[in-house]
Amino acid sequence: MKIIGIMGAMDLEIKLLRDKMNVSNNEKVAGFNYYIGEIEGNQVILTCCGVGKVNAASCTQILIDRYGVDCIINTGIAGGLHNNVKICDVIISDNVTYHDVRKAQMKSCFPYKEFFDGDKELIELALNACKLNNNSDLNYHLGRIVSGESFVSDDNLKKKIVEEYSPHCVEMEGAAIGHVANINDVPFVIIRSISDNADNEATMSYEKFEKISAENSANIVLNMLRTL
């Protein structure tokens, strides 16, 4: 049986999944809690990595080295960056990259890639899970997700990121997860639901929609697990 690693940056992003999980063991490694058990008959390692790229990368490497996961699904919330993306929409990553690392550096330094591609099978599974979602009003998109060490809540920064990367959304962990998964040859996909528009109103919107958006994303993951 495959071992599926599932990650969120904050407790609210994995709460629904933990509530649905039959936990057989709980281990703390390097400060991260790893819940070991089953969801929908699948062997799962569920963890909360904390906010930011270094936390996400460290937690991902432990998932791979210590628990031998066969694939990684990252679930959570994000700021919308695309004109067609609305609050509470779901974004499935076709690829991920950093918005705070120069493109030249990405291409000229190991691992010599400007972005990291999501796994085609996991992407297809996620898209099908969106179609099966009980919420008929839920919109979903396939597109680029960018990450950086800041909560984007400024119109000027948003404009700069959009012009340079043409992403669907922005967050703080996905590219690091994809980076580590890629260099370890572990399939991954990033799933995010929009809590705000990464603009001057982002903080107010985030506080209103963070829980709803976190559950939207987690429900897609649950649908994926049901169809595996």
Side-chain angles (χ1 to χ4, degrees):
M1 180 183 291
K2 286 188 175 182
I3 304 173
I4 303 166
I6 303 176
M7 305 175 62
M10 300 177 290
D11 282 332
L12 70 91
E13 293 173 325
I14 66 166
K15 183 181 184 303
L16 179 62
L17 293 161
R18 191 170 62 233
D19 290 345
K20 298 287 185 180
M21 187 176 187
N22 180 14
V23 179
S24 59
N25 196 12
N26 177 15
E27 295 182 347
K28 195 164 190 175
V29 183
F32 304 114
N33 283 313
Y34 293 87
Y35 300 94
I36 303 161
E38 291 188 357
I39 302 177
E40 299 290 342
N42 298 284
Q43 190 172 351
V44 169
I45 312 295
L46 177 66
T47 185
C48 180
C49 68
V51 173
K53 296 183 298 185
V54 175
N55 283 333
S58 301
C59 191
T60 302
Q61 193 64 57
I62 292 169
L63 267 180
I64 295 167
D65 287 343
R66 186 180 181 92
Y67 297 103
V69 297
D70 296 292
C71 65
I72 293 173
I73 302 170
N74 173 225
T75 180
I77 58 183
L81 293 180
H82 193 283
N83 288 337
N84 294 333
V85 171
K86 309 302 180 187
I87 299 292
C88 294
D89 283 5
V90 168
I91 313 298
I92 311 298
S93 66
D94 59 358
N95 63 68
V96 293
T97 192
Y98 306 105
H99 68 76
D100 57 357
V101 179
R102 291 180 300 125
K103 290 182 179 181
Q105 180 179 333
M106 294 287 290
K107 290 185 286 188
S108 63
C109 299
F110 179 82
Y112 313 108
K113 292 183 178 182
E114 190 175 327
F115 53 81
F116 305 100
D117 291 321
D119 178 72
K120 291 182 179 179
E121 290 185 11
L122 289 175
I123 289 171
E124 190 63 29
L125 194 66
L127 291 172
N128 288 334
C130 289
K131 296 172 186 176
L132 294 171
N133 192 69
N134 292 328
N135 182 359
S136 59
D137 295 327
L138 183 71
N139 296 314
Y140 58 93
H141 313 263
L142 177 65
R144 175 171 295 164
I145 296 176
V146 293
S147 308
E149 288 295 343
S150 62
F151 177 78
V152 178
S153 57
D154 176 82
D155 286 336
N156 292 328
L157 177 57
K158 175 180 179 177
K159 182 180 178 182
K160 181 181 177 183
I161 294 171
V162 169
E163 288 176 349
E164 188 166 0
Y165 295 98
S166 301
H168 274 61
C169 68
V170 60
E171 34 83 308
M172 299 175 69
E173 298 83 27
I177 294 167
H179 187 152
V180 174
N182 181 269
I183 64 176
N184 285 276
D185 294 319
V186 174
F188 78 93
V189 68
I190 312 298
I191 301 170
R192 297 284 179 149
S193 182
I194 303 303
S195 61
D196 59 85
N197 288 317
D199 55 15
N200 291 341
E201 306 297 324
T203 300
M204 186 181 303
S205 176
Y206 175 89
E207 291 172 355
K208 182 176 180 181
F209 291 104
E210 60 174 337
K211 184 175 184 296
I212 297 169
S213 297
E215 290 184 354
N216 279 348
S217 182
N219 273 315
I220 299 305
V221 177
L222 281 175
N223 280 347
M224 292 175 70
L225 296 173
R226 292 180 182 121
T227 55
L228 275 172

